[in-house]
Coordinates of all heavy atoms in Angstrom, one line a residue:
R1 N 0.9 -1.2 0.0 CA 0.0 0.0 0.0 C 0.9 1.2 0.0 O 1.9 1.3 0.7 CB -0.9 0.0 1.2 CG -2.0 -1.0 1.2 CD -2.9 -0.9 2.4 NE -3.6 0.4 2.4 CZ -4.4 0.8 3.4 NH1 -4.6 0.0 4.5 NH2 -5.0 1.9 3.3
A2 N 0.5 2.2 -0.8 CA 1.4 3.4 -0.9 C 1.3 4.2 0.4 O 0.3 4.2 1.1 CB 0.8 4.3 -2.0
K3 N 2.4 4.7 0.8 CA 2.5 5.5 2.0 C 2.6 7.0 1.6 O 3.6 7.5 1.1 CB 3.8 5.2 2.8 CG 3.8 3.7 3.3 CD 4.9 3.3 4.2 CE 4.8 1.9 4.7 NZ 6.0 1.5 5.6
L4 N 1.5 7.7 1.8 CA 1.2 9.0 1.3 C 1.0 10.1 2.3 O 0.5 11.2 2.0 CB 0.1 9.0 0.3 CG 0.1 7.9 -0.8 CD1 -1.2 7.9 -1.6 CD2 1.3 8.2 -1.7
S5 N 1.3 9.7 3.6 CA 0.9 10.7 4.7 C 1.9 11.9 4.7 O 1.5 12.9 5.2 CB 1.0 9.9 6.0 OG 2.3 9.4 6.3
Y6 N 3.1 11.7 4.2 CA 4.0 12.8 4.3 C 3.6 14.0 3.4 O 3.2 13.8 2.3 CB 5.4 12.3 4.0 CG 6.6 13.2 4.5 CD1 7.2 12.9 5.7 CD2 7.0 14.3 3.8 CE1 8.2 13.7 6.2 CE2 8.1 15.0 4.3 CZ 8.7 14.7 5.5 OH 9.7 15.5 6.0
H7 N 3.9 15.2 3.9 CA 3.6 16.4 3.1 C 4.3 16.4 1.8 O 5.5 16.1 1.7 CB 4.0 17.6 3.8 CG 3.8 18.9 3.1 ND1 2.5 19.4 2.8 CD2 4.6 19.8 2.5 CE1 2.6 20.5 2.1 NE2 3.9 20.8 1.9
G8 N 3.6 16.6 0.7 CA 4.1 16.5 -0.6 C 3.6 15.3 -1.4 O 3.5 15.3 -2.6
L9 N 3.3 14.2 -0.6 CA 2.8 13.0 -1.2 C 1.3 12.9 -0.9 O 0.6 12.1 -1.6 CB 3.5 11.8 -0.6 CG 5.0 11.7 -0.8 CD1 5.5 10.3 -0.3 CD2 5.4 11.8 -2.3
D10 N 0.8 13.7 0.0 CA -0.6 13.6 0.4 C -1.5 14.2 -0.7 O -2.8 14.0 -0.6 CB -0.9 14.3 1.7 CG -0.4 15.7 1.8 OD1 0.2 16.2 0.8 OD2 -0.4 16.3 2.9
S11 N -1.0 14.8 -1.7 CA -1.8 15.3 -2.8 C -2.0 14.2 -3.9 O -2.9 14.4 -4.7 CB -1.0 16.5 -3.5 OG 0.2 16.1 -4.0
L12 N -1.3 13.1 -3.7 CA -1.5 12.0 -4.7 C -2.9 11.2 -4.4 O -3.3 11.2 -3.2 CB -0.4 11.0 -4.6 CG 1.0 11.5 -5.1 CD1 2.1 10.4 -4.9 CD2 0.9 11.7 -6.7
P13 N -3.5 10.7 -5.3 CA -4.8 9.9 -5.1 C -4.5 8.7 -4.3 O -3.4 8.1 -4.3 CB -5.3 9.6 -6.5 CG -4.1 9.6 -7.3 CD -3.2 10.7 -6.8
A14 N -5.5 8.2 -3.6 CA -5.3 7.0 -2.7 C -4.8 5.8 -3.5 O -4.1 4.9 -3.0 CB -6.6 6.7 -2.0
G15 N -5.2 5.7 -4.8 CA -4.8 4.6 -5.6 C -3.5 4.8 -6.4 O -3.3 4.1 -7.4
A16 N -2.7 5.7 -6.0 CA -1.4 6.0 -6.7 C -0.6 4.7 -6.8 O -0.5 4.0 -5.8 CB -0.7 7.1 -6.0
S17 N 0.1 4.6 -7.9 CA 1.0 3.4 -8.1 C 2.3 3.8 -7.5 O 2.6 4.9 -7.1 CB 1.1 3.1 -9.5 OG 1.9 4.2 -10.2
A18 N 3.2 2.7 -7.3 CA 4.5 2.9 -6.9 C 5.3 3.8 -7.8 O 6.1 4.6 -7.3 CB 5.2 1.6 -6.7
V19 N 5.1 3.7 -9.0 CA 5.7 4.6 -10.0 C 5.3 6.0 -9.8 O 6.2 6.9 -9.9 CB 5.4 4.1 -11.5 CG1 6.0 5.1 -12.5 CG2 6.0 2.7 -11.7
D20 N 4.0 6.2 -9.6 CA 3.5 7.6 -9.3 C 4.2 8.2 -8.1 O 4.6 9.3 -8.1 CB 2.0 7.6 -9.1 CG 1.2 7.2 -10.3 OD1 1.7 7.5 -11.4 OD2 0.1 6.7 -10.1
V21 N 4.3 7.3 -7.0 CA 5.0 7.8 -5.8 C 6.5 8.1 -6.1 O 7.0 9.2 -5.6 CB 4.9 6.8 -4.7 CG1 5.6 7.2 -3.4 CG2 3.4 6.5 -4.4
M22 N 7.2 7.3 -6.7 CA 8.6 7.5 -7.0 C 8.7 8.8 -7.8 O 9.6 9.6 -7.5 CB 9.2 6.3 -7.8 CG 10.7 6.5 -8.1 SD 11.4 5.1 -8.9 CE 10.7 5.2 -10.6
K23 N 7.9 9.0 -8.8 CA 8.1 10.2 -9.7 C 7.8 11.4 -8.8 O 8.5 12.5 -9.0 CB 7.1 10.1 -10.8 CG 7.5 9.2 -11.9 CD 6.5 9.2 -13.1 CE 6.9 8.2 -14.2 NZ 6.0 8.2 -15.3
Q24 N 6.9 11.4 -7.9 CA 6.5 12.5 -7.1 C 7.7 12.8 -6.1 O 8.1 14.0 -5.9 CB 5.3 12.3 -6.3 CG 4.8 13.4 -5.4 CD 4.1 14.5 -6.2 OE1 4.2 14.6 -7.4 NE2 3.3 15.3 -5.5
V25 N 8.3 11.8 -5.5 CA 9.4 11.9 -4.6 C 10.6 12.5 -5.4 O 11.3 13.4 -4.8 CB 9.8 10.6 -4.0 CG1 11.1 10.7 -3.3 CG2 8.7 10.1 -3.0
I26 N 10.9 12.0 -6.6 CA 12.0 12.6 -7.4 C 11.7 14.0 -7.7 O 12.7 14.9 -7.6 CB 12.2 11.7 -8.6 CG1 12.7 10.3 -8.3 CG2 13.1 12.4 -9.6 CD1 12.7 9.4 -9.5
A27 N 10.5 14.4 -8.0 CA 10.2 15.8 -8.3 C 10.4 16.7 -7.2 O 10.9 17.8 -7.2 CB 8.8 15.8 -8.9
I28 N 9.9 16.2 -6.0 CA 10.0 17.0 -4.8 C 11.5 17.3 -4.4 O 11.9 18.3 -4.1 CB 9.3 16.4 -3.6 CG1 7.8 16.4 -3.9 CG2 9.6 17.1 -2.3 CD1 7.0 15.5 -2.8
R29 N 12.3 16.1 -4.4 CA 13.7 16.2 -4.0 C 14.4 17.1 -5.0 O 15.3 17.9 -4.6 CB 14.3 14.8 -4.0 CG 13.8 14.0 -2.8 CD 14.5 12.7 -2.7 NE 15.9 12.8 -2.3 CZ 16.3 12.8 -1.1 NH1 15.5 12.6 -0.1 NH2 17.6 13.0 -0.8
A30 N 14.2 16.9 -6.3 CA 14.8 17.7 -7.3 C 14.5 19.2 -7.2 O 15.3 20.1 -7.5 CB 14.5 17.2 -8.7
S31 N 13.3 19.6 -6.7 CA 12.9 21.0 -6.6 C 13.5 21.6 -5.3 O 13.7 22.8 -5.3 CB 11.4 21.1 -6.5 OG 10.9 20.5 -5.3
K32 N 13.9 20.8 -4.4 CA 14.4 21.3 -3.1 C 15.9 21.2 -3.0 O 16.5 22.0 -2.3 CB 13.7 20.5 -1.9 CG 12.3 20.8 -1.7 CD 11.8 20.1 -0.4 CE 10.4 20.4 -0.1 NZ 9.9 19.7 1.2
L33 N 16.5 20.1 -3.5 CA 17.9 19.8 -3.3 C 18.7 20.1 -4.5 O 18.4 19.6 -5.6 CB 18.0 18.4 -2.8 CG 17.2 18.0 -1.6 CD1 17.4 16.5 -1.3 CD2 17.7 18.8 -0.3
P34 N 19.8 20.8 -4.4 CA 20.6 21.1 -5.6 C 21.3 19.8 -6.0 O 21.7 19.0 -5.2 CB 21.6 22.1 -5.1 CG 21.7 21.9 -3.6 CD 20.3 21.5 -3.2
D35 N 21.5 19.7 -7.3 CA 22.2 18.5 -7.9 C 23.7 18.6 -7.5 O 24.4 19.6 -7.8 CB 22.1 18.6 -9.4 CG 22.7 17.4 -10.1 OD1 23.5 16.6 -9.5 OD2 22.5 17.2 -11.3
P36 N 24.3 17.6 -6.8 CA 25.7 17.7 -6.4 C 26.7 17.7 -7.6 O 27.8 18.1 -7.4 CB 25.9 16.4 -5.6 CG 24.8 15.5 -5.9 CD 23.6 16.4 -6.3
Q37 N 26.2 17.3 -8.8 CA 27.0 17.4 -10.0 C 27.2 18.9 -10.4 O 28.1 19.3 -11.1 CB 26.5 16.6 -11.1 CG 26.4 15.1 -10.8 CD 27.7 14.5 -10.6 OE1 28.7 14.8 -11.3 NE2 27.8 13.6 -9.6
V38 N 26.2 19.7 -10.0 CA 26.3 21.1 -10.4 C 26.8 22.0 -9.2 O 27.7 22.8 -9.4 CB 24.9 21.6 -10.8 CG1 24.9 23.1 -11.1 CG2 24.3 20.8 -12.0
L39 N 26.2 21.7 -8.0 CA 26.6 22.4 -6.8 C 27.0 21.3 -5.8 O 26.1 20.7 -5.2 CB 25.5 23.3 -6.2 CG 25.3 24.6 -6.8 CD1 24.1 25.3 -6.2 CD2 26.5 25.5 -6.7
P40 N 28.3 21.1 -5.6 CA 28.7 20.0 -4.7 C 28.1 20.1 -3.3 O 28.2 21.2 -2.6 CB 30.3 20.2 -4.6 CG 30.6 20.8 -5.9 CD 29.5 21.7 -6.2
N41 N 27.4 19.1 -2.8 CA 26.8 19.0 -1.5 C 26.5 17.6 -1.1 O 26.7 16.7 -1.9 CB 25.5 19.9 -1.6 CG 24.4 19.1 -2.3 OD1 23.7 18.3 -1.8 ND2 24.4 19.4 -3.7
A42 N 26.1 17.5 0.2 CA 25.8 16.1 0.7 C 24.4 16.0 1.1 O 24.0 15.2 1.9 CB 26.7 15.8 1.9

């Protein structure tokens, strides 16, 4: 069962697939965290 309680994932529908969740997580992380290949970070 998809775990959607965290802020940012709670906008997904209850029937979201694992691919949907993964794409949303990637989008959120990419919007918040700089790419270490561009700006070195941990």
Side-chain angles (χ1 to χ4, degrees):
R1 291 183 64 184
K3 296 185 179 180
L4 306 176
S5 60
Y6 201 93
H7 177 69
L9 301 184
D10 52 4
S11 61
L12 291 173
S17 69
V19 172
D20 293 333
V21 176
M22 181 178 71
K23 287 181 176 179
Q24 183 79 342
V25 168
I26 291 173
I28 294 171
R29 291 184 68 91
S31 69
K32 289 184 175 182
L33 303 174
D35 183 348
Q37 298 298 319
V38 179
L39 280 176
N41 72 89

